[in-house]
């Protein structure tokens, strides 16, 4: 399918999902116009405003602001406490409580609707820019319900972008993001997200035991690139481990072996003829959820630290093995193509 056809399929899927869960249709626009957002807010507030009217309270909504008025009734008791809080108030105690409660609910509903539409709109926008395989499987109903229940409380723009990327990825390939990841993200603060993203230039993708993971290698001066205090913050958030681990790679082939990828660079090991590869490199690790979130938060223009990458290559050097740094030319998730070596550490016979 062409890119426009893929986008149409994805929009149809998210439309069907929203219709099934909430009985609503999504307008497939990349950006929701302000006028449409205001109209959506008015539709959301309409039923509640009618309920206020039935209670003798006049509710007027304009330009995002809600104004409440009510005429005092003869049988209503005086309101000294309420009047002290709002000298202009002429509501009875019961009416004032109802008015304030309804106003809080209306404001909360408008905020949640704005968050909901912002995340869905951004997800639709990402369908035009994100490439990748598209599965025929539908999104799990329980996952979708949990996602939107959490996402409607996300007001920060940067955090909304992460939630939108999760929705985009899950619609493309259902099962990509677990409920546990949603739980982590729900409690993740903006500061913790920024701390995680600050590690992006240094996090390597490794495949220990065939499982894609994130690693921060302990180079001789790694503390000049990332701070241990940041790892502690992320460990408390359930995103990293501060205990040191070792990446062990063994191979009985003299062919090139991909050790890791760090942003747009790959470190490749090539042993001398007839020599097995045996490499041990110490590192800190991200949890599965931390690694997934990093890949979502990582910007497209993330710059790798070549100094750090060269140091990792040096750590991977053994007496009979050369470790080379290559720039990645193509990576479709299955095959990696890279250019000529940018750096070569030469092992010595020993």
């Amino acid at each position: 399918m062409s890119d426009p056809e893929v986008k149409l399929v994805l929009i149809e899927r998210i439309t069907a999902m929203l219709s099934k869960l909430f009985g609503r249709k999504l307008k497939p626009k990349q950006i929701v116009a302000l006028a449409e957002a205001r109209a959506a807010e008015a539709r959301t507030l309409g039923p509640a405003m009618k309920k206020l009217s039935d209670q003798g309270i006049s509710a007027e909504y304009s330009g995002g602001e809600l104004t409440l008025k009510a005429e005092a009734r003869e049988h209503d008791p005086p309101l000294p406490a309420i009047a002290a809080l709002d000298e202009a108030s002429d509501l009875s105690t019961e009416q004032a409580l109802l008015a304030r409660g309804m106003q809080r609910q209306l404001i909360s509903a408008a905020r949640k609707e704005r968050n909901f539409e912002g995340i869905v709109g951004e997800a639709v926008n990402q369908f035009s820019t994100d490439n990748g395989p598209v599965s025929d499987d539908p999104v799990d109903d329980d996952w979708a319900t949990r996602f939107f229940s959490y996402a409607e409380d996300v007001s920060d723009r940067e955090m909304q972008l992460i939630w939108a990327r999760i929705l985009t990825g899950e619609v493309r390939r259902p099962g990509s993001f677990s409920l546990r990841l949603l739980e982590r993200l729900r409690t993740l603060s903006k500061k913790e997200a920024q701390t995680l993203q600050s590690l992006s230039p240094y996090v390597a993708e490794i495949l220990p035991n065939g499982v894609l993971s994130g690693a921060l290698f302990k180079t001789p001066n790694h503390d000049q690139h990332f701070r241990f205090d940041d790892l502690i913050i992320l460990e408390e958030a359930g995103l990293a481990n501060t205990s040191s681990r070792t990446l062990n790679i063994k191979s009985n082939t003299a062919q090139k072996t991909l050790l890791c990828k760090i942003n747009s660079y790959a470190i490749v090991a090539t042993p001398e003829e007839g020599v097995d590869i045996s490499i041990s490199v110490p590192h800190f690790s991200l949890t599965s959820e931390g690694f997934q979130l990093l890949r979502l938060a990582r910007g497209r223009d993330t710059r790798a630290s070549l100094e750090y990458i060269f140091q990792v290559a040096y750590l991977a050097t053994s007496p009979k093995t050369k470790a080379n740094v290559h720039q990645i030319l193509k990576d479709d998730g299955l095959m990696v193509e890279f250019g000529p070596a940018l750096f070569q550490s030469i092992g010595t016979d020993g």
Side-chain angles (χ1 to χ4, degrees):
M1 290 189 293
S2 65
D3 289 343
E5 290 174 330
V6 170
K7 180 182 176 182
L8 180 60
V9 168
L10 295 173
I11 290 177
E12 289 175 347
R13 287 185 182 179
I14 198 170
T15 300
M17 179 173 61
L18 294 176
S19 178
K20 183 177 182 180
L21 292 176
F22 308 109
R24 63 192 298 177
K25 296 291 184 180
L26 170 70
K27 292 184 178 181
K29 295 183 179 181
Q30 295 183 1
I31 302 175
V32 178
L34 178 61
E36 290 182 335
R38 293 300 189 196
E41 290 176 356
R43 289 193 298 271
T44 302
L45 299 177
M49 291 169 68
K50 183 179 183 303
K51 185 174 181 180
L52 283 172
S53 179
D54 294 340
Q55 295 291 327
I57 301 174
S58 173
E60 182 177 335
Y61 181 76
S62 177
E65 298 294 333
L66 183 68
T67 304
L68 301 175
K69 285 187 177 181
E71 295 183 0
R73 301 173 182 176
E74 294 182 357
H75 61 275
D76 289 332
L79 240 199
I82 298 299
L85 292 175
D86 184 0
E87 295 180 358
S89 174
D90 55 0
L91 306 183
S92 70
T93 302
E94 182 180 352
Q95 287 177 325
L97 288 173
L98 176 62
R100 291 198 302 274
M102 291 303 297
Q103 185 176 37
R104 178 176 57 81
Q105 292 181 27
L106 293 172
I107 293 173
S108 176
R111 175 181 57 80
K112 290 184 176 183
E113 181 66 17
R114 188 178 294 109
N115 296 340
F116 175 94
E117 293 187 7
I119 290 173
V120 172
E122 178 59 34
V124 172
N125 185 44
Q126 290 180 15
F127 289 154
S128 300
T129 57
D130 289 356
N131 299 319
V134 178
S135 170
D136 294 330
D137 298 329
V139 176
D140 180 74
D141 287 349
D142 289 340
W143 187 96
T145 300
R146 191 83 61 89
F147 175 90
F148 288 113
S149 175
Y150 294 162
E152 67 181 10
D153 289 323
V154 180
S155 300
D156 182 81
R157 173 63 177 165
E158 292 181 22
M159 297 301 291
Q160 283 186 354
L161 291 176
I162 297 177
W163 282 90
R165 288 170 189 155
I166 288 180
L167 180 58
T168 301
E170 189 69 15
V171 171
R172 280 184 175 277
R173 298 184 64 185
S176 297
F177 303 104
S178 65
L179 292 175
R180 183 177 300 167
L181 177 69
L182 297 184
E183 291 286 349
R184 292 290 189 201
L185 184 56
R186 182 172 69 96
T187 59
L188 188 69
S189 69
K190 183 177 179 179
K191 179 181 178 181
E192 290 167 339
Q194 291 173 336
T195 299
L196 180 63
Q197 192 166 10
S198 71
L199 300 179
S200 183
Y202 316 108
V203 174
E205 296 184 10
I206 60 176
L207 273 171
N209 303 318
V211 178
L212 188 63
S213 305
L216 290 155
F217 290 108
K218 297 177 64 176
T219 61
N221 61 342
H222 66 269
D223 55 341
Q224 296 180 16
H225 301 291
F226 56 86
R227 302 189 315 148
F228 188 75
D229 288 348
D230 288 341
L231 291 177
I232 294 176
I233 292 174
L234 295 179
E235 184 173 54
E236 293 175 348
L239 304 178
N241 298 300
T242 57
S243 57
S244 180
R245 301 186 178 187
T246 302
L247 173 65
N248 296 305
I249 297 179
K250 296 182 182 297
S251 175
N252 57 2
T253 176
Q255 297 181 349
K256 294 181 178 180
T257 299
L258 178 64
L259 303 182
C260 67
K261 295 183 292 183
I262 305 179
N263 288 285
S264 57
Y265 295 90
I267 297 179
V268 180
T270 304
E272 293 182 2
E273 184 176 356
V275 176
D276 295 343
I277 292 179
S278 180
I279 298 173
S280 297
V281 186
H283 66 89
F284 302 109
S285 64
L286 299 181
T287 64
S288 174
E289 292 80 15
F291 183 53
Q292 278 189 303
L293 287 177
L294 177 71
R295 299 181 77 189
L296 289 168
R298 176 179 276 167
R300 295 180 181 274
D301 59 347
T302 298
R303 295 185 179 181
S305 170
L306 281 174
E307 178 187 2
Y308 169 79
I309 294 174
F310 291 160
Q311 290 174 357
V312 175
Y314 179 79
L315 285 178
T317 298
S318 64
K320 298 286 186 177
T321 301
K322 299 176 182 179
N324 307 316
V325 176
H326 301 257
Q327 186 163 16
I328 296 175
L329 303 178
K330 182 180 179 180
D331 183 2
D332 60 6
L334 298 175
M335 296 292 292
V336 179
E337 296 180 10
F338 41 83
L342 301 178
F343 170 87
Q344 188 175 61
S345 60
I346 304 175
T348 57
D349 293 339

